[in-house]
């Protein structure tokens, strides 16, 4: 359950944060049976415990997946059942079903849906199979297959796909050949874990969000931590990760104090934020 962008809709509480200047509140729209939430730029999608998929908000590019481009002020059902995970990018959405098929909808100008085209979709299209984990970046998508390989698609001008190039891809390319266990995507950077606990990163690094001690963009994955990492999360320009001792680490843009280290200094190498007892982490655009 995550949000990678400054527009964040919290359907659990009914509070809607459109941007730092405006805050709106509403009655809760989910009473029970909530399973997972994803928030993109002005839209949200959520799963019920039975695997039904709902979406609400901006639908200019078909990112809600209801077959229209009509924005919705109340949730609409997109899929009846069997959805196990949802991820939201800037204006596209990814859905994973119990059979391992990956579905995508919304803006596709950079090929981020992965269907081999740059045609926007207002209904979900199947783009892959044997998928176990998904992540949506600003304009790119990542997914892990059952064999542990990592695949990426979409915008790649700063190397965020990790295929060693800066070439946009409209069909998925392999970024890691085995042993991937978790993935996360920021606006223009990507993170993933391997089963040995090592953390890897690629893409934009202007604020040091890759954590390799530089501000150099990387078009191929670079190792950030050799072992002991259990979870990772990418914000717009910053990154978090957890270690197996429960400690929380952060790196990247910190102009608003989003790293939580008591400063507003950007960090190019990870700094420890909390020493222990952290179990989950989520990153917004600038918090």
């Amino acid at each position: 359950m995550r949000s990678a962008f400054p527009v964040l809709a919290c359907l659990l509480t009914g509070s809607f944060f459109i941007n730092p200047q405006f805050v709106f509140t509403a009655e809760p729209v989910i009473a029970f049976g909530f399973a997972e939430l994803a928030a993109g730029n002005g839209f949200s999608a959520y799963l019920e415990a039975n695997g039904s998929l709902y979406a609400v908000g901006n639908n200019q590019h078909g990112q809600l997946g209801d077959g229209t481009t009509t924005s919705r002020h109340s949730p609409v059902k997109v899929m009846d059942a069997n959805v196990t995970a949802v991820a939201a990018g800037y204006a596209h959405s990814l859905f994973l079903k119990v059979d391992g098929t990956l579905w995508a909808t919304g803006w596709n100008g950079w090929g981020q849906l992965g269907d081999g085209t740059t045609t926007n979709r207002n209904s979900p299209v199947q783009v892959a199979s044997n998928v176990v984990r998904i992540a949506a970046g600003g304009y790119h998508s990542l997914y892990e297959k059952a064999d542990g390989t990592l695949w990426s698609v979409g915008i790649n001008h700063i190397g965020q796909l990790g295929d060693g190039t800066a070439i946009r891809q409209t069909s998925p390319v392999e970024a890691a050949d085995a042993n991937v266990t978790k993935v996360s995507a920021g606006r223009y950077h990507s993170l993933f874990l391997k089963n040995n606990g090592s953390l890897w990163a690629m893409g934009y690094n202007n604020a040091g969000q890759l954590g390799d001690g530089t501000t150099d963009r990387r078009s191929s994955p670079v190792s950030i931590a050799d072992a002991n990492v259990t979870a990772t999360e990418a914000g717009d320009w910053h990154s978090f990760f957890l270690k197996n001792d429960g400690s929380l680490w952060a790196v990247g843009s910190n102009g608003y104090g989003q790293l939580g280290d008591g400063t507003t200094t950007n960090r190019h190498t990870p700094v420890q934020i909390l020493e222990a007892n952290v179990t989950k982490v989520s990153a917004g655009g600038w918090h």
Side-chain angles (χ1 to χ4, degrees), residues 230-255:
T230 59
T232 185
E233 180 77 357
D236 266 17
W237 319 104
H238 65 296
S239 306
F240 292 111
F241 62 91
L242 301 183
K243 289 191 174 182
N244 57 14
D245 60 2
S247 60
L248 173 66
W249 299 72
V251 70
S253 178
N254 198 27

Side-chain angles (χ1 to χ4, degrees), residues 163-182:
D163 67 343
T165 77
I167 301 171
R168 176 186 69 180
Q169 304 290 347
T170 60
S171 295
V173 293
E174 190 174 301
D177 59 6
N179 302 318
V180 175
T181 59
K182 293 181 181 178

